Amino acid sequence: MDFNELMQEKGYSYLEKIIESKENTLQLLINRSTFNIDLPLVQLEFESYISYSVIDECFSYSIDNSEISKGELFRLYTKSRYLDYIKIATNEREDICPSENYIHYQFLCLNHTIDVISCEEPKINVVTG
């Protein structure tokens, strides 16, 4: 499974765990479910990240007309207020990842909205069982 496939997902999702298993890595364990079907958990692992944020779903903002994204539960932004903020608020490291390569991922879960800025796509594993 790749991120493009995840962006097609509909229904509901729950954040089961968020872990920094190693320094500057991030793992998200997300339970995907719908009213009719129980789907396996999905584990997303960012081997590195620039920033991440977890917001209570009640306080999340909705997309405004200036933002550009693809996906539903799992979103990929090419333009967002969070991406603009991170580019201003962080020290750009051309040797690690120039700011034009920043990628904004968003995960809409019941009770949480998770935003991650990274230079690389997460590894995705389906966890059964």
Side-chain angles (χ1 to χ4, degrees):
M1 176 174 282
D2 66 16
F3 201 79
N4 285 323
E5 290 175 273
L6 277 180
M7 287 192 301
Q8 307 305 313
E9 294 280 331
K10 297 182 185 323
Y12 298 94
S13 65
Y14 299 90
L15 176 64
E16 295 287 340
K17 281 187 184 177
I18 187 165
I19 307 163
E20 290 188 39
S21 60
K22 294 183 272 186
E23 192 170 310
N24 296 323
T25 66
L26 181 66
Q27 287 182 354
L28 303 172
L29 190 59
I30 297 178
N31 185 353
R32 303 170 298 150
S33 65
T34 64
F35 289 116
N36 301 324
I37 301 170
D38 288 327
L39 297 170
L41 298 172
V42 64
Q43 179 180 327
L44 299 109
E45 182 173 353
F46 291 89
E47 290 186 0
S48 66
Y49 64 87
I50 296 156
S51 175
Y52 73 91
S53 170
V54 181
I55 300 173
D56 181 319
E57 173 193 33
C58 295
F59 295 93
S60 292
Y61 66 90
S62 58
I63 298 173
D64 67 27
N65 292 335
S66 69
E67 296 184 309
I68 301 169
S69 69
K70 296 187 295 185
E72 302 226 1
L73 294 175
F74 301 86
R75 291 185 181 160
L76 180 65
Y77 284 87
T78 53
K79 183 173 176 20
S80 71
R81 293 185 287 175
Y82 185 61
L83 189 56
D84 292 342
Y85 165 72
I86 293 302
K87 287 180 179 181
I88 292 168
T90 58
N91 179 29
E92 182 177 7
R93 291 288 309 264
E94 289 284 335
D95 58 326
I96 298 173
C97 178
S99 63
E100 63 267 12
N101 294 342
Y102 290 7
I103 304 166
H104 179 186
Y105 297 92
Q106 186 176 71
F107 310 98
L108 299 175
C109 301
L110 292 173
N111 301 324
H112 303 90
T113 299
I114 304 104
D115 292 282
V116 178
I117 306 290
S118 180
C119 285
E120 54 196 36
E121 188 171 310
K123 290 181 182 176
I124 300 169
N125 295 308
V126 175
V127 180
T128 58

